[in-house]
Every structure is written in C-alpha cells, then in structure tokens.
Amino acid sequence: MTEPVSTALPRDRWFVAAYCREIGHELFSRTVCGESILFWRTRSGEVTAMADRCVHRRFPLSQAPTRLVDDRVVCGYHGFTYGADGRCVAVPGQTRVPRTARLARYPVVEQDSFVWVWIGDPGRADVTTIPRATWLNDPQWTVVSGMEPLRARFGLLVDNLLDLSHETYLHGGYIGTPEVAATPITTEVDDDAGVVRVSRRMADAECPPFYSRSTGLSGRISRWQDIEYFPPCLYTLHSRIAPLGSVPHPDGSDPDAFHVEVVYAITPETATTTHDFWAVARDFARDDQEVSEFLAEQNRTVVLQDVAALDVLEQVVATDPPGSQELSINIDTGGLAARRMLAAMTAPAGAATEVGAR
Amino acid sequence: MTEPVSTALPRDRWFVAAYCREIGHELFSRTVCGESILFWRTRSGEVTAMADRCVHRRFPLSQAPTRLVDDRVVCGYHGFTYGADGRCVAVPGQTRVPRTARLARYPVVEQDSFVWVWIGDPGRADVTTIPRATWLNDPQWTVVSGMEPLRARFGLLVDNLLDLSHETYLHGGYIGTPEVAATPITTEVDDDAGVVRVSRRMADAECPPFYSRSTGLSGRISRWQDIEYFPPCLYTLHSRIAPLGSVPHPDGSDPDAFHVEVVYAITPETATTTHDFWAVARDFARDDQEVSEFLAEQNRTVVLQDVAALDVLEQVVATDPPGSQELSINIDTGGLAARRMLAAMTAPAGAATEVGAR
Amino acid sequence: MTEPVSTALPRDRWFVAAYCREIGHELFSRTVCGESILFWRTRSGEVTAMADRCVHRRFPLSQAPTRLVDDRVVCGYHGFTYGADGRCVAVPGQTRVPRTARLARYPVVEQDSFVWVWIGDPGRADVTTIPRATWLNDPQWTVVSGMEPLRARFGLLVDNLLDLSHETYLHGGYIGTPEVAATPITTEVDDDAGVVRVSRRMADAECPPFYSRSTGLSGRISRWQDIEYFPPCLYTLHSRIAPLGSVPHPDGSDPDAFHVEVVYAITPETATTTHDFWAVARDFARDDQEVSEFLAEQNRTVVLQDVAALDVLEQVVATDPPGSQELSINIDTGGLAARRMLAAMTAPAGAATEVGAR
C-alpha cells in the first residue's frame, strides 16, 4: 500500500513551456511550476523568457494594455519599459532608472520543436542534459501535435502514461485492445541516466483502429510498446506495428514495420494543474494528409479521455481523507520507479546532502 | 446565547442514502457523511454498497467507462474487477489477485422505501435500531416524495424542521398561517429512546392552501403538528387536520380528520452539504392523482424555500467572524435538544468513556 | 523594495456605504469592512443602519421574505421584529421579548450625497471628522457619479489613484497623455490633518478627449492635477484645465479655466473586495446633458479599466509566493505615505498606546 502521488514540484530541471510555433513577436505567457513566465521572440528571431511581473507593482506584463514596441516591453500600468535582456530602460516621472530594476530571466532553448525552460537556479542550467525527441523536427518523420490543459497534478499523468494497461479500458475502440492489459511488462530503471523504461511486446494482437486505419494493416499484428521516460518532463513511446511474425532485420532496418513515436511533455503548471503536450510522429504515409488528420483527431480524443479521468481523480485525491491508500501490482513497477526519481528531484537540497555525508 | 450549529458529523449511525427506486442494475454513487459510496442492485435484486474508489489508483467506480458486467464491476481505468461482495477477482497483467484487494462494504438495508446505510464501524451496525416510517411503504397510504440538494450543513435543516414557527414567515401562502408562529409548543426529550418530540395543537386556525385544496375543508380548522425526530437522520411530522372541535374517538379511530405524515430524511453529504429527502403520505383522496400532483408540487416548493434560505444561512455561518452568537427562545427548545443529542453522537469515543469512568 | 499592499482593514473610521439616493424605504444591504449592514430610510426620512443578521438564527434581514412593515423589520425566517432603533419588539410563540434582543446599530450620517457609516467602536464616532466633498451636493456644480465593484483589496485602488502616471498607459485615449507620466510630482504628507497631497502641474500638455470634448478646448493646454487623499476612504482630485499660460487671478477667481472635482470613495467590502464609488463634478457646461452623459460614460470606462487591471493584480498579489517584492520610485511617494497612514489605522490599539507611552 502506498500514498497517492504528491503535489511536490521538481526544481533545477528543464521543462517544455511551449511549442516553438507558439512564440512569435507577441507577448505570450505560460506558467511553469507555479512561475508565471513571459515569452516573446525578438526581431532577430530569438526566444526570450523573463518573469511575467513588472518590478514596480507586479502587474503581469502579458496583460493588455502592455505591449511590445520593437524589442521592448512597455508595462500597461505605469509604463516601466524592459529590453530583451530584462533590464528596465525607462520609468515614468524621472530620467534615472534604478540599477536594480530588471526582470529575472529564464534559461531557454529551442530544441525538437519545443521551447524548453529551466526552472530553478540559472547557474545550474546545462543545455546538454535536455532529453531529445528528434523525430519531432526531422524531415524523415511526419508529426501531428497539440496540448491539452489538465486540472490534475502532473504525477497523475506520469502514472497514467507509464502504465498503458489502461488503454484497454479507458481507450477501448481507439488504441486499446485486450492484449495491452493482458500482456506482462518488463521494467528497467537507470538512475544514473535518469530514465525509466517499460516494454510490452505483444506477438499476436488485435490491431486497434488508431493503427489499422493509419497503416492499412488488418487482422492480427505484432505490436511493441517501448516506453522511455526521462523525469520529470519528457516521455516517449516507441511504438512498432508489424505483420505477424515480422521482426527487425539483423542490420537494424525494419522495412515491414510501421513506426510511431508518441511523445508527451508533462509540464506542471501549478502544483495541481498540468500542461499535457502530445505529439505523434510516423515514418509511413508521410504525405497523406488524411492520415495526419485522422491521427491528430484520434490522439487528441485519447488525450481528452485521459484528461477527463485525471481531472476526476485529482478531485478524489485532493478531497479524500488523509491516509487514503493505493494498492500497486506488477504493472505499476515503472510508475513507482518514476515516483521515486521525482521524489529525489523535489527533496530539499539539505536533506540530500545530509544523506550523502553519512 | 449559543454558538451556531456545528459541522461535525455523527458516526456509527444509519442514514438514508437513497430511495429504493433509485437503485437498479446500474452503478449509482452517493456521498454520505463525506464517504463516497457505490450502490447497485444484483441480478437477484439485492442492493449492495461498497466504497466508490478502486483499490488500485482510487478511480471512482461510478465514473464512466467503469461498467457493470453481470454482477461484477469493471474499473474504467485499468480494469480491476470486483464482485458484489467487494472482493477483487481480476487485475491486469497478472493472474494472481492480491489477497488484500477488496472494497470496503457498507451495511445496507431497504426499509420503508428508503435505502439505509451504516456509516462507521460495521461491527456496530444493528438493523433493529433503524427508525421506522411505515406509511411510506403501506398500501393504506398514498405517498409523494423527492429529494433536493442543500448547500448547507445538515444541522441547519434539523434546526429548521424542529421549529415550525418559520412556516408562518418563510412558507406563508403554502403551509404557514399566523397561528403556527403564535401557538406555544410542548417539547419532550427522550434521551434513552433517542427521540425529540415537539407538539403544537392549534384548536382554531386558518386552513392554509396546502390543506384546503387537498382536503376540501374551508374556513377555520383544528390543526395538530406532532413532530418526532430520531437523530440524526429521520424526522416525522404527524399532521392532523379536522373540522373545528373534532377530536379522535376514545377507541383511537379518527374518521372526521385528515392525516398527513410528512417525513424528512436529513442526510449529510459532506460537512456543509445535505441530501434533503422529503415525503408526504396521506390517508385521504388516495386515488386522486390531482391531489398527488398538487401536494408534490406544493411540498417541493416549500422544500425549495427552505433550501434557498438555508443556502444563504450556510454562507453567513461559514463566513461570519468566529464568536458570532445566536439568541434562543422557547420555540428553540426542541432544536437545542436535538443539537445536544447530535453533539453526543459526534463526540470522540474516548471522551465519552472517560466521562463514564468517573 | 517593499512588500505588496496588505489586506488589513482600518477600524474606528468613517466609510462611504452608499449614495443617499440608494437608500429608500426598502431594505438595503451593503458589506463594509466585512460587516454586513442593513440600511433603510424611516417614514420620517432618516437613514438607519444596523447589523444585517437576525439575533435569533443569524438570518440576513436583507434577504426575502424579510420585509419592512411601517418602520419595523420582520425577519423572513421566524418573524423576529425590530424597530428603527434595532430593538426587537416581537418574537414567535411568546409575548415576552428577551431584554438582550437587539441589533447592533451603526453611527450613520448623510453628507455630500454620501451615506457615511462608522466601523468600529461607536463611542469613538465623531461626525466632525468626516472629510468633505461639498461639490457633490452644491447647486453651483453639476455631478455625474456611480459605483463599480472591485475584486481587489482596497489598498490597490489607493495605490492606483495616488499615482496618476498610470493614466498615460492604462487610460490612453481617455484621460492619459504623455505629459502625465513625464511630469514630476510634488508630495506633501500632513500626518496631523490626516491628508496626503500629490500635485502635478503640466504647463504645456496635450488635451485628452475627456477634457477636449467636454470643455471645447483644442490644442495644447495647461493642466493641473492636485490630489488630496483623506485615508482611509475619501480621495479628491482637483483638476484644472485652462488655455496655455492662463493662471488664476490674484483674488482667487479663475474665470478662464475649467474645473473638475473628481471624487472617489474607496470602501473596503471585505479584505479583498472594494466598493469603488466615483463622482465627477464640473463648474462648466452645467446644464448640458450631452456633456453629462459623455463624462459619465467616459469616467465609468476609465474606472472599469482600473477595475480590470486591479482584479488581475489582486490575483497576482494573492497567489504569488510570499516574499514577492515591489520596487518604488519617485511617483510612489504619495502612495507609500498613504500605506504608512493606513498601517497606523490598522495597528492594534495596544501597539499604538505602547509607542505613545515611550
């Protein structure tokens, strides 16, 4: 028996704040881990990220009538004006600008179609530690994607995605078939690399509509689900659909199979709300707009089924009496490993040091 | 001067959870005293009551796509499956079902048209202590009934129903006349039997529309209101309407009078919300559908007048500064006795024992 | 760096509760500093103010079906009846009225078109300390006025009104021009008189639509803004608009100028909501209904711009992590002085005495 997932938020980590396509030369605000962040793209094309609070009276700079004048943000309340580096360059009623008047900036990187932002101590931000989802920005793959707001703590979505047995019940008729729940999983936890792997290999399975209509396969199939979760934010599902008996060639090529990379970026908005970014990349029917539309609509529907269930579950977990317990079984191995890794990321630094000093 | 009614909830007591007619072979959920309970009727016709939370990840079993397959509940999230006795009989990804996987069951009884459920230690549930409202399931009586949700602590409704002087003001034009507020009451408290009795005998009173249109009486009447409240849940009002001067015969028969049994089941949903079950049974015009419709519509209107007033009062009591006081007078004797009996039911067991040991 | 404005409320002070025109021979309720107050005008024309809570079960007396019968309030729940002096004169079911049954009354004064009410110890209420806004009830002036509800702590509105540099940004196209933000202010704080004065004299300024369309002036103007704020509630802005170079005559007359008295009464409803009373009095175009309509519509629009900004700001201040800071500059001198005076009014009496005793 274990406690339900906590609402604690990791710090000193990279999170996906937006798709690159969302940020233009307009003020854009998104809250990540409880921090309200202002994003915009400079005239030269760089994304900038700074605190969405005027230093003067904390007016949100994303709020009209605040506006962008060239590469400067002019606060809509009293006109405090900031450059792309966050420095205040003008204030009302006086020519001297206080030396300390500057907005906190966030380390920010565009990679694999996402805008990644660092939450925590900027001095610890290392761009090489951002996990990759290269398919999302690779001409060999065709991608559909979106984001749905979730009114639940992000750990509930991590739980959900690491245990795909729920496809059979919550997503029956879309991506679930009896074999998903029935097939045992293998789980691998690599604490050093910071990754949880969960695999389910179905040698002889029904083909759900999501795959039959997109690949054209009918009848029984071989279906592999290989999850890699890089806590806290990036989740990838390597999905392989193939005719019965087909396996990849010894050289690694796999011409008879259809590959789908399902990517989720799980970004806490607040302690109890989450940005649920989802993307589906495929290596087949790449120019078929109908398949793109079908997969986009299907995956969005599946995500909204998760959202409906987890919104309800958040209310349950938030309002049930303290001490309520959960019972875990084999399918939860990956999810429980993820919880442990997330707990370590949210433990106060002092606590971790103390343990290390013993 | 006294404190406003508390939000504490009794435990180890029977409560009305539903009308029998509400429970069929479909999943049905109702929260009683803060506990979310799943009800359904087996193929053999028995009502079963169990915790509305899957043991795995606490998903509410009343929530779609959870469904009933024969006499088994299949959780809509990961497919944990439960029998009518609450035992888990199947889980995903493995054949072994953990021994501890079972849902807490609630003692449940169908009686007098109500589904009664025991909240507290199941070992202490004694079905013989459930108070009776036999008129509701007796061919000699015709009944109309309903339930209205109240966004107020249940003690406010107890207060309301034990002091009917409010009929004159809040329900004028329906059931109130000047005599209700003007006539003194007599109150009897039987702590051993667990009942509060409040009587008001109006020898010469105006006949309100509720009774004139249903009985056909016009002009002045004799009107008796004899309340019996069995804390915490069952309230009955024995109402006798008769021509002036008419009294029951020495043998107990009462052929000139019209009798109405007004029954309320006052069930806390949470500490600050209540299920307000109401029923009106009569021994006259028993096959007159028009009278049934009239009394149902009138009583529902009266209940909604209470609901409107008590919803407002809940906000007042919940948000006024602590230390706010009430002033009680004679009409409050029954209500104050009820509060004392309810307080004893909510006192921690240790506290009661300690007092007894002295 | 300073903390954002507090939610503490002054006590032992006069507040504007309503316009005189709002109170007739009907029950009227308004919450001031968290106290729900019942107002009505007696048959002889006097405004009376008492607690909006029946002494019996705390039912709000402003709530239907409570009604006024001649000069008595009859509670709509159980019929407790009160005179204009707050004394209970009738209760249900008994002829004796408890001696302590009376509603707390509030000192109340009608002055300058406002109903002023004293919040705090009634024994300390001194009507001579109510600040004046005589223009609002003077036949030499024409007035338009209104009130908008603000979902923000009252200190945010005090801040807003004491720093008019925001007109340039938040109210551009209405009352703001570049000169307002650009022109330095002079600030005077008179702690003994309890007034903060902020002046901005613009010798050569653009004429904003608010003034050009109402006065008929076009081109550049001389514009003076002289604020007097009498904490906690009354704010007056003496606005002088004149042709370039025009100054008042040595004898005090000022025939070439247009004068507008902008009055705000800033009344806390609760710790985080505010009644934003606004009035605009003018000494020109006094019978011109079109000018009246124009100024009413314009000022209401300006107030609603403030409301929109401050409603957002309240959410920011209420939900941002504790320890969030503000940075103040010259334009904030008046606002910071006001905060200090308000803090002194909310300090516990003991604390103040201790300081005085040293």
Side-chain angles (χ1 to χ4, degrees):
Chain A
M1 304 295 274
T2 53
E3 301 278 311
V5 290
S6 104
T7 55
L9 298 178
R11 284 191 71 76
D12 288 345
R13 300 286 157 176
W14 291 101
F15 293 90
V16 168
Y19 288 106
C20 296
R21 65 178 183 252
E22 292 185 276
I23 313 296
H25 195 62
E26 280 173 15
L27 299 172
F28 177 94
S29 182
R30 189 155 276 157
T31 297
V32 176
C33 294
E35 306 197 11
S36 187
I37 307 176
L38 182 74
F39 297 91
W40 48 283
R41 202 176 280 281
T42 63
R43 293 264 176 230
S44 62
E46 272 173 275
V47 171
T48 182
M50 53 187 79
D52 187 18
R53 298 284 181 265
C54 182
V55 298
H56 177 226
R57 285 297 175 263
R58 305 194 61 69
F59 192 70
L61 295 169
S62 56
Q63 185 75 22
T66 302
R67 60 214 166 91
L68 205 48
V69 177
D70 297 325
D71 276 352
R72 293 183 167 184
V73 178
V74 183
C75 178
Y77 196 0
H78 299 93
F80 275 56
T81 302
Y82 303 91
D85 59 359
R87 290 191 76 103
C88 183
V89 296
V91 301
Q94 63 191 58
T95 51
R96 198 185 72 81
V97 174
R99 197 175 38 82
T100 59
R102 72 163 69 194
L103 300 172
R105 293 187 75 204
Y106 290 83
V108 64
V109 172
E110 291 189 88
Q111 184 170 286
D112 300 334
S113 85
F114 291 133
V115 175
W116 290 87
V117 69
W118 174 264
I119 300 295
D121 173 3
R124 302 188 59 189
D126 174 356
V127 301
T128 67
T129 64
I130 302 177
R132 301 302 304 259
T134 52
W135 321 278
L136 304 188
N137 201 20
D138 178 336
Q140 301 301 105
W141 294 76
T142 299
V143 182
V144 295
S145 62
M147 190 275 272
E148 314 303 329
L150 174 67
R151 305 192 74 73
R153 61 195 68 183
F154 91 112
L156 287 176
L157 184 54
V158 174
D159 248 28
N160 172 284
L161 291 171
L162 282 172
D163 175 8
L164 295 182
S165 73
H166 81 271
E167 291 185 353
T168 305
Y169 300 94
L170 196 55
H171 308 307
Y174 292 86
I175 54 174
T177 69
E179 296 81 10
V180 181
T183 306
I185 54 163
T186 60
T187 303
E188 253 185 65
V189 182
D190 185 337
D191 277 299
D192 292 335
V195 56
V196 179
R197 293 190 178 87
V198 178
S199 285
R200 177 181 280 110
R201 300 287 173 98
M202 295 165 271
D204 181 356
E206 195 183 307
C207 190
F210 186 88
Y211 289 115
S212 60
R213 283 192 49 189
S214 58
T215 65
L217 285 181
S218 60
R220 315 259 326 154
I221 54 166
S222 163
R223 181 178 180 191
W224 294 1
Q225 295 181 320
D226 294 323
I227 294 168
E228 292 188 294
Y229 172 50
F230 305 88
C233 190
L234 192 74
Y235 170 98
T236 59
L237 166 62
H238 314 296
S239 178
R240 178 183 182 275
I241 302 297
L244 279 188
S246 157
V247 292
H249 293 194
D251 67 357
S253 69
D254 192 17
D256 299 335
F258 299 83
H259 300 92
V260 170
E261 299 287 341
V262 185
V263 177
Y264 285 87
I266 306 166
T267 300
E269 181 188 40
T270 67
T272 56
T273 58
T274 302
H275 305 296
D276 184 352
F277 295 90
W278 58 267
V280 176
R282 69 182 188 274
D283 67 355
F284 57 90
R286 286 179 31 222
D287 299 323
D288 190 328
Q289 184 60 22
E290 228 173 277
V291 169
S292 290
E293 279 163 20
F294 170 74
L295 289 177
E297 185 275 337
Q298 283 264 309
N299 207 70
R300 184 161 184 271
T301 300
V302 162
V303 169
L304 290 177
Q305 288 168 338
D306 283 334
V307 164
L310 299 183
D311 285 1
V312 165
L313 204 48
E314 174 63 35
Q315 291 308 308
V316 166
V317 176
T319 62
D320 273 359
S324 299
Q325 297 286 310
E326 299 178 349
L327 184 146
S328 296
I329 58 173
N330 294 349
I331 52 167
D332 298 307
T333 314
L336 294 179
R339 289 192 196 185
R340 278 193 303 273
M341 291 175 69
L342 290 169
M345 292 178 182
T346 57
T353 309
E354 204 168 81
V355 168
R358 277 177 194 168
Chain B
M1 303 295 273
T2 54
E3 302 278 311
V5 290
S6 103
T7 55
L9 298 179
R11 285 190 71 75
D12 289 343
R13 300 288 159 176
W14 291 101
F15 293 90
V16 169
Y19 288 106
C20 296
R21 65 178 183 253
E22 292 184 278
I23 313 295
H25 195 63
E26 279 173 14
L27 299 172
F28 177 93
S29 182
R30 191 154 277 155
T31 297
V32 176
C33 295
E35 306 196 12
S36 188
I37 307 177
L38 181 74
F39 297 91
W40 48 284
R41 201 176 280 280
T42 64
R43 292 266 177 229
S44 62
E46 273 173 273
V47 171
T48 182
M50 53 188 80
D52 186 19
R53 297 284 181 267
C54 182
V55 299
H56 177 226
R57 286 295 175 266
R58 306 193 61 70
F59 193 70
L61 296 169
S62 56
Q63 186 75 21
T66 303
R67 60 213 167 92
L68 205 48
V69 178
D70 298 325
D71 276 353
R72 294 183 166 183
V73 179
V74 183
C75 177
Y77 196 0
H78 299 93
F80 274 57
T81 302
Y82 303 91
D85 59 359
R87 290 190 75 102
C88 184
V89 295
V91 302
Q94 63 190 58
T95 51
R96 198 184 74 80
V97 174
R99 196 175 40 81
T100 57
R102 71 163 68 195
L103 300 172
R105 292 187 74 203
Y106 291 82
V108 64
V109 173
E110 291 190 86
Q111 185 170 282
D112 300 335
S113 85
F114 290 132
V115 176
W116 289 87
V117 70
W118 175 264
I119 299 296
D121 174 3
R124 303 189 57 189
D126 175 356
V127 301
T128 66
T129 63
I130 303 177
R132 301 303 303 261
T134 53
W135 320 277
L136 303 188
N137 200 21
D138 179 336
Q140 301 300 106
W141 294 76
T142 299
V143 182
V144 294
S145 63
M147 191 274 273
E148 313 305 329
L150 175 67
R151 304 191 74 75
R153 58 195 69 184
F154 91 112
L156 287 176
L157 183 54
V158 174
D159 246 30
N160 172 284
L161 290 171
L162 282 170
D163 175 8
L164 295 182
S165 72
H166 81 272
E167 291 184 354
T168 305
Y169 300 94
L170 196 55
H171 307 307
Y174 294 83
I175 54 174
T177 69
E179 296 82 10
V180 182
T183 306
I185 54 163
T186 61
T187 304
E188 252 184 66
V189 181
D190 185 336
D191 276 298
D192 291 334
V195 56
V196 179
R197 295 191 178 85
V198 178
S199 285
R200 177 182 282 108
R201 302 285 173 98
M202 295 165 271
D204 182 355
E206 194 182 310
C207 190
F210 185 89
Y211 289 115
S212 60
R213 283 193 48 190
S214 58
T215 64
L217 285 181
S218 60
R220 315 269 314 163
I221 56 167
S222 163
R223 181 179 181 189
W224 295 1
Q225 294 180 320
D226 293 322
I227 294 168
E228 291 187 295
Y229 172 50
F230 304 89
C233 190
L234 193 74
Y235 170 98
T236 60
L237 166 62
H238 314 296
S239 178
R240 179 184 182 275
I241 303 297
L244 278 189
S246 156
V247 291
H249 295 195
D251 68 358
S253 70
D254 192 18
D256 299 335
F258 299 83
H259 301 91
V260 171
E261 298 288 341
V262 184
V263 178
Y264 284 87
I266 306 165
T267 300
E269 180 188 40
T270 66
T272 55
T273 59
T274 302
H275 305 298
D276 184 351
F277 294 91
W278 59 267
V280 175
R282 69 183 189 273
D283 67 356
F284 57 90
R286 285 179 32 221
D287 299 321
D288 189 329
Q289 185 60 22
E290 227 172 280
V291 169
S292 290
E293 280 165 19
F294 171 74
L295 289 178
E297 186 274 336
Q298 284 263 310
N299 207 70
R300 183 162 186 271
T301 300
V302 163
V303 169
L304 290 177
Q305 288 168 339
D306 283 335
V307 165
L310 299 184
D311 284 2
V312 165
L313 203 48
E314 174 63 34
Q315 291 309 308
V316 165
V317 176
T319 61
D320 273 358
S324 298
Q325 297 285 311
E326 299 178 349
L327 184 146
S328 296
I329 58 174
N330 294 349
I331 53 167
D332 298 306
T333 314
L336 294 179
R339 288 192 197 187
R340 277 193 304 272
M341 291 175 69
L342 290 169
M345 293 178 183
T346 57
T353 310
E354 203 169 81
V355 167
R358 276 175 193 168
Chain C
M1 303 296 273
T2 54
E3 301 279 310
V5 289
S6 103
T7 55
L9 298 179
R11 284 191 71 76
D12 289 342
R13 299 288 158 176
W14 292 101
F15 293 90
V16 168
Y19 288 106
C20 296
R21 65 178 182 252
E22 292 184 278
I23 313 295
H25 194 63
E26 280 172 16
L27 299 172
F28 177 94
S29 181
R30 191 154 277 158
T31 297
V32 177
C33 295
E35 306 196 12
S36 187
I37 306 176
L38 182 74
F39 297 91
W40 48 283
R41 201 176 281 280
T42 64
R43 293 264 176 230
S44 63
E46 272 173 273
V47 170
T48 181
M50 54 188 79
D52 186 19
R53 296 284 181 267
C54 182
V55 298
H56 177 226
R57 286 295 175 265
R58 306 193 61 69
F59 193 71
L61 296 168
S62 55
Q63 186 76 22
T66 302
R67 61 215 166 91
L68 206 48
V69 177
D70 298 326
D71 276 353
R72 292 181 169 188
V73 179
V74 183
C75 178
Y77 195 0
H78 300 93
F80 275 57
T81 302
Y82 302 91
D85 60 358
R87 289 191 75 102
C88 184
V89 296
V91 301
Q94 64 190 56
T95 50
R96 197 184 73 81
V97 174
R99 195 176 38 83
T100 58
R102 71 163 69 195
L103 300 173
R105 292 187 75 202
Y106 290 82
V108 62
V109 172
E110 291 190 87
Q111 186 170 282
D112 300 333
S113 86
F114 290 132
V115 176
W116 290 87
V117 69
W118 175 264
I119 300 296
D121 174 2
R124 304 188 57 188
D126 175 355
V127 302
T128 66
T129 63
I130 302 176
R132 302 302 305 259
T134 52
W135 319 279
L136 304 188
N137 200 19
D138 179 336
Q140 301 300 106
W141 294 76
T142 298
V143 182
V144 294
S145 62
M147 191 273 273
E148 314 304 328
L150 175 67
R151 304 192 73 77
R153 61 196 67 183
F154 91 112
L156 287 176
L157 183 54
V158 173
D159 247 29
N160 172 284
L161 291 171
L162 282 171
D163 175 8
L164 295 182
S165 74
H166 80 271
E167 291 185 353
T168 305
Y169 300 94
L170 196 55
H171 307 307
Y174 294 85
I175 53 175
T177 69
E179 296 81 11
V180 181
T183 307
I185 54 164
T186 60
T187 304
E188 250 186 67
V189 182
D190 184 337
D191 276 298
D192 291 335
V195 56
V196 178
R197 293 190 180 86
V198 178
S199 286
R200 176 182 281 108
R201 302 286 174 98
M202 294 164 273
D204 181 357
E206 194 183 309
C207 191
F210 186 88
Y211 288 115
S212 60
R213 284 195 45 191
S214 58
T215 64
L217 284 182
S218 61
R220 315 255 333 152
I221 55 168
S222 163
R223 180 179 181 189
W224 295 0
Q225 295 180 320
D226 294 322
I227 294 168
E228 291 187 295
Y229 173 50
F230 305 88
C233 191
L234 192 75
Y235 170 97
T236 59
L237 166 63
H238 314 296
S239 177
R240 178 184 183 274
I241 303 296
L244 280 188
S246 155
V247 292
H249 294 194
D251 67 358
S253 69
D254 192 18
D256 299 335
F258 299 83
H259 301 91
V260 170
E261 298 288 341
V262 184
V263 177
Y264 284 87
I266 305 165
T267 300
E269 180 188 41
T270 65
T272 55
T273 59
T274 302
H275 305 298
D276 184 350
F277 295 90
W278 58 268
V280 175
R282 70 180 188 274
D283 67 354
F284 57 90
R286 285 181 32 223
D287 298 321
D288 190 329
Q289 185 59 21
E290 227 172 281
V291 169
S292 290
E293 279 164 19
F294 171 75
L295 289 177
E297 186 274 336
Q298 284 264 309
N299 208 69
R300 182 161 185 272
T301 300
V302 162
V303 169
L304 290 177
Q305 288 168 337
D306 284 335
V307 164
L310 299 182
D311 284 2
V312 165
L313 204 47
E314 174 62 34
Q315 290 309 308
V316 165
V317 176
T319 62
D320 273 358
S324 297
Q325 298 285 313
E326 299 178 349
L327 184 146
S328 296
I329 58 174
N330 294 349
I331 53 168
D332 299 306
T333 314
L336 293 179
R339 289 191 196 188
R340 277 194 303 272
M341 291 175 70
L342 290 169
M345 292 178 182
T346 58
T353 308
E354 203 167 81
V355 167
R358 279 176 192 167

